[in-house]
């Protein structure tokens, strides 16, 4: 879906602290994933907004499929829409779920999360730029860039947007506790056992940080300059396994263990098929079992002429030993 929100650019950014009047924050520490809703969809959800969110200012929202990784031939599609803004000078968040068959029947829309902060957040904000300089700004909208729920607990990345820039507030709700971390523009992904990996794409330090579901810092890293991609499956807070199909001079199938805290490969092994296929064959891998340290994969091969083959292999995620079955 197309984004309607402006891209954020902090070329001037040196040091960043957001000051929220009366709001507790954690200055010492530093959500694929959802796509901003399009203009046409805005009008589609306008009636719901007018009926249920009329008292929320600076409204921002995103839509996502409940399970976008599963492709089926069913005629219905479960959709989540996440809304955020300011309600009576408090940060506000609501996530709703519905079947598209009942898109216009709001009585069938299920509220998954509804939360209103107890601390004050006004539209007028003050941002520290470093060296004793400040910048005043007014919030245009609050965008829910990331939301992950676990029962009534959740973690969220709310972007306080203004003009052509924005600042982030990470919210960690765990049982009755709320932790807020205000920082610069963040990229966020789900990680190991409910944790988050975050990285600022516009900070001069580009530190990667791993937070627990409660918002405690597990580690930071200045050596990893990017977040894991969709292929990376975490096996711990620090490490992940990924199978990559990439093209340089020919197609290869490689399985890699990477340490994100240290910013380096632990091991990387090329998987060799039992066939003498052409070098320009394409590979697609499927993880079948990861219940032990011996993971099992199926590989589908397609030749340039359309011939199809498949095989299976196991890999020991501790040492990288690969065995074809």
């Amino acid at each position: 879906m197309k984004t309607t929100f402006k891209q954020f650019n902090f070329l001037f950014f040196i040091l960043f602290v957001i000051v929220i009047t009366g709001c507790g924050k954690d200055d010492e520490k530093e959500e694929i994933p959802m796509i901003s809703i399009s203009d046409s969809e805005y009008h589609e959800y306008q009636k719901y907004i007018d009926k249920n969110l009329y008292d929320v200012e600076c409204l921002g929202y995103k839509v996502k499929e409940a399970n976008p990784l599963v492709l089926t031939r069913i005629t219905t599609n479960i959709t989540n829409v996440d809304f955020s803004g300011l309600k009576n000078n408090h940060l506000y968040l609501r996530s709703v779920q519905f079947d598209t068959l009942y898109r216009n029947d709001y009585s069938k829309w299920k509220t998954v999360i509804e939360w209103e902060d107890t601390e004050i957040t006004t539209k007028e904000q003050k941002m520290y730029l470093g060296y004793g300089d400040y910048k005043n700004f007014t919030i245009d909208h609050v965008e829910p860039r990331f939301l992950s729920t676990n029962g009534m607990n959740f973690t969220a990345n709310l972007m306080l947007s203004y003009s052509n820039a924005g600042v982030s507030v990470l919210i960690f709700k765990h049982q009755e506790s709320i932790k807020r971390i205000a920082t610069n523009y963040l990229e966020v992904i789900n990680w190991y056992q409910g944790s988050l990996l975050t990285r600022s794409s516009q900070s001069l330090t580009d530190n990667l940080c791993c937070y627990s579901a409660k918002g405690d810092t597990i580690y930071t890293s200045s050596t990893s300059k990017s977040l894991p991609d969709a292929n990376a499956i975490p096996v711990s807070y620090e490490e992940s396994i990924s199978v990559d199909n990439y093209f340089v001079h020919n197609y290869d199938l490689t399985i890699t263990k990477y340490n994100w805290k240290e910013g380096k490969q632990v091991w990387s092994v090329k998987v060799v098929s039992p066939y003498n296929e052409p070098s320009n064959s394409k590979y697609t891998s499927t993880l079948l079992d990861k219940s032990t340290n011996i993971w099992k994969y199926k590989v589908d091969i397609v030749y340039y002429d359309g011939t199809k083959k498949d095989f299976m292999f196991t890999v020991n995620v501790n040492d990288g030993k690969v065995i074809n079955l």
Side-chain angles (χ1 to χ4, degrees):
M1 299 181 184
K2 298 180 180 178
T3 180
T4 59
F5 296 119
K6 298 177 181 178
Q7 299 297 318
F8 307 101
N9 191 1
F10 275 5
L11 297 178
F12 62 87
F13 199 92
I14 304 269
L15 175 65
F16 171 71
V17 176
I18 183 173
V19 180
I20 299 177
T21 304
C23 177
K25 65 182 187 303
D26 188 342
D27 295 334
E28 301 175 357
K29 304 176 183 178
E30 285 267 297
E31 104 188 343
I32 165 233
M34 300 174 287
I35 306 300
S36 298
I37 208 163
S38 69
D39 287 334
S40 62
E41 287 160 339
Y42 177 88
H43 295 294
E44 182 176 351
Y45 297 107
Q46 185 64 56
K47 290 182 180 180
Y48 179 83
I49 293 170
D50 291 344
K51 180 179 177 63
N52 298 277
L53 300 167
Y54 57 88
D55 55 350
V56 179
E57 298 182 278
C58 305
L59 186 68
Y61 47 105
K62 290 189 176 183
V63 62
K64 62 179 179 179
E65 294 179 357
N67 192 354
L69 299 181
V70 177
L71 300 179
T72 64
R73 293 180 178 273
I74 58 177
T75 57
T76 60
N77 181 32
I78 303 300
T79 297
N80 278 45
V81 185
D82 302 324
F83 301 91
S84 61
L86 294 177
K87 186 173 183 178
N88 301 318
N89 288 331
H90 298 107
L91 287 173
Y92 176 84
L93 176 66
R94 178 188 288 194
S95 180
V96 295
Q97 184 182 92
F98 61 93
D99 192 308
T100 53
L101 285 177
Y102 306 104
R103 187 180 298 275
N104 297 316
D105 187 352
Y106 303 142
S107 66
K108 296 184 182 295
W109 289 31
K110 175 185 177 183
T111 299
V112 181
I113 289 290
E114 184 172 27
W115 172 78
E116 183 176 342
D117 200 1
T118 57
E119 303 291 347
I120 297 294
T121 299
T122 63
K123 287 191 286 187
E124 302 302 321
Q125 298 292 321
K126 193 175 185 179
M127 180 176 63
Y128 184 59
L129 303 178
Y131 303 100
D133 293 329
Y134 288 85
K135 178 181 178 64
N136 296 319
F137 68 92
T138 301
I139 298 173
D140 293 327
H141 59 273
V142 180
E143 182 183 355
R145 295 193 61 85
F146 173 90
L147 176 64
S148 177
T149 61
N150 181 13
M152 297 308 295
N153 300 324
F154 68 85
T155 53
N157 178 23
L158 303 185
M159 177 69 70
L160 310 184
S161 301
Y162 69 98
S163 184
N164 62 342
V167 295
S168 292
V169 181
L170 285 176
I171 308 292
F172 298 87
K173 181 183 181 299
H174 184 76
Q175 297 178 357
E176 298 304 316
S177 69
I178 295 289
K179 187 169 186 177
R180 307 162 190 82
I181 300 176
T183 182
N184 56 317
Y185 175 64
L186 283 178
E187 298 173 88
V188 182
I189 63 170
N190 278 317
W191 200 235
Y192 184 70
Q193 293 187 348
S195 64
L196 297 183
L197 276 186
T198 73
R199 173 185 171 273
S200 169
S201 62
Q202 294 163 329
S203 167
L204 295 180
T205 58
D206 281 332
N207 282 341
L208 180 146
C209 188
C210 182
Y211 291 106
S212 73
K214 296 181 181 181
D216 299 324
T217 300
I218 299 175
Y219 65 85
T220 60
S221 172
S222 60
T223 56
S224 291
K225 297 301 181 182
S226 63
L227 286 176
D229 62 22
N231 291 323
I233 301 174
V235 293
S236 69
Y237 292 111
E238 300 179 8
E239 296 179 329
S240 67
I241 301 292
S242 60
V243 176
D244 299 307
N245 312 312
Y246 60 92
F247 181 78
V248 182
H249 301 295
N250 61 302
Y251 286 93
D252 282 328
L253 184 69
T254 304
I255 186 164
T256 302
K257 188 173 189 177
Y258 194 86
N259 188 301
W260 295 94
K261 182 178 180 180
E262 299 179 4
K264 65 180 183 181
Q265 287 184 357
V266 179
W267 48 256
S268 186
V269 180
K270 181 177 178 180
V271 180
V272 180
S273 85
Y275 311 109
N276 188 26
E277 68 270 18
S279 61
N280 61 350
S281 299
K282 293 185 178 181
Y283 304 86
T284 303
S285 62
T286 303
L287 179 58
L288 301 178
D289 181 29
K290 63 181 183 72
S291 58
T292 69
N293 65 309
I294 307 297
W295 290 13
K296 183 178 180 180
Y297 286 86
K298 179 186 177 184
V299 179
D300 293 291
I301 309 172
V302 181
Y303 297 4
Y304 183 79
D305 66 7
T307 301
K308 296 182 180 181
K309 302 274 189 177
D310 65 76
F311 71 97
M312 290 187 290
F313 72 91
T314 61
V315 59
N316 187 320
V317 297
N318 295 331
D319 59 19
K321 183 178 180 180
V322 172
I323 299 176
N324 284 5
L325 301 178

